[in-house]
Amino acid sequence: MNNKPTLILLPNRDELDQVLSRDIANILATSLHNHGSASLAVSGGSTPENMLSLLGQAPLDWPLVQTLLVDERWVANDHASSNEAMLRKTLLKSAASSSKYLPLKNNADSAENGQYLLEAELDALTWPLSLVHLGMGEDGHTASWFHDAPEYQALRTAHAQHCFAVQPGSAPYPRITLSPNAVFNSEKIVIHITGRAKREVLEKALSQDADYPISMVLHQQQVPVDIYWAP
């Protein structure tokens, strides 16, 4: 399989949000039609906020859709840096509020302890996921896969684990993240990026000798990848 990513270039961010939200809704609708259920893992941060708001309004049978985050900071779910807090203001505010949502952050006293409970909950989901939505930082990280996290090499090579607790040196807060094993146990991956700086990092990561965390996604041969970009 020569699974080369497809690059979809949009003229501006508003159009990107509209096109990507429509495309994700169509993928979920197809999964609902074919399987009677669908699942969606989405990334946090500020880039996808408008897209997720649009997606949350899509006329889907949301109670049959499992939603979750790709990664989360180990902070209270009403914290300003919580991805769940962002998700509840965007995707989970409209029709999609009736979806089955699995939080990554639980009541454990640390991400390290929380990952064991979360692992069991993730294991109980129906796999593969219908779609995984990823972002990318200007350092080439995706999800919470950071080069400088002590857990990075274990995360890269784990073949059974669904999630990892990580402590990146270059980013605040301990985090919980889906593993590459979980992300690649999916039917489709979309990468959502904006801005020329990230486009330059993406072009470098697409080369075969690149070693960015996002390179794991770009060069794997298991799941088709579409990259959506706007200036």
Side-chain angles (χ1 to χ4, degrees):
M1 176 182 177
N2 183 16
N3 185 31
K4 187 176 181 181
T6 300
L7 184 57
I8 300 165
L9 306 177
L10 284 306
N12 56 67
R13 299 184 188 192
D14 284 344
E15 191 161 338
L16 184 158
D17 293 340
Q18 293 169 24
V19 169
L20 181 52
S21 63
R22 181 197 66 206
D23 288 356
I24 293 176
N26 287 341
I27 290 167
L28 296 177
T30 298
S31 183
L32 288 166
H33 179 265
N34 291 341
H35 308 299
S37 63
S39 48
L40 170 68
V42 299
S43 292
S46 58
T47 299
E49 287 184 3
N50 185 54
M51 187 281 292
L52 292 172
S53 293
L54 294 172
L55 176 61
Q57 300 168 35
L60 297 170
D61 198 348
W62 284 106
L64 299 178
V65 179
Q66 175 73 60
T67 54
L68 66 154
L69 284 158
V70 168
D71 66 322
E72 178 62 285
R73 300 171 181 92
W74 204 259
V75 295
N77 62 13
D78 59 353
H79 191 281
S81 295
S82 166
N83 283 333
E84 181 175 333
M86 181 278 291
L87 207 61
R88 293 197 178 281
K89 295 174 185 174
T90 55
L91 179 72
L92 301 179
K93 190 175 183 181
S94 304
S97 63
S98 61
S99 70
K100 294 176 285 186
Y101 173 65
L102 173 62
L104 298 192
K105 167 73 168 64
N106 52 45
N107 291 326
D109 59 358
S110 68
E112 289 81 3
N113 291 332
Q115 74 178 357
Y116 299 107
L117 175 60
L118 179 62
E119 186 70 32
E121 293 181 306
L122 290 169
D123 194 52
L125 297 184
T126 299
W127 297 83
L129 301 176
S130 305
L131 185 139
V132 175
H133 162 270
L134 296 174
M136 185 192 75
E138 290 186 12
D139 60 354
H141 86 269
T142 192
S144 280
W145 307 349
F146 288 87
H147 258 151
D148 64 357
E151 305 82 5
Y152 184 64
Q153 289 306 321
L155 176 149
R156 289 188 63 167
T157 55
H159 295 298
Q161 229 169 300
H162 290 108
C163 66
F164 270 83
V166 299
Q167 179 64 73
S170 57
Y173 308 113
R175 294 160 181 246
I176 197 91
T177 183
L178 295 186
S179 65
N181 172 68
V183 168
F184 302 151
N185 191 359
S186 60
E187 296 178 341
K188 182 79 170 184
I189 294 171
V190 298
I191 300 174
H192 179 184
I193 60 175
T194 56
R196 301 197 183 281
K198 290 186 180 182
R199 176 72 185 277
E200 290 177 7
V201 174
L202 175 70
E203 296 295 345
K204 294 175 184 175
L206 283 165
S207 68
Q208 287 293 340
D209 58 351
D211 187 29
Y212 295 97
I214 193 73
S215 301
M216 285 191 276
V217 182
L218 299 174
H219 299 299
Q220 53 80 33
Q221 297 293 301
Q222 300 161 250
V223 191
V225 177
D226 288 347
I227 304 164
Y228 291 74
W229 176 84

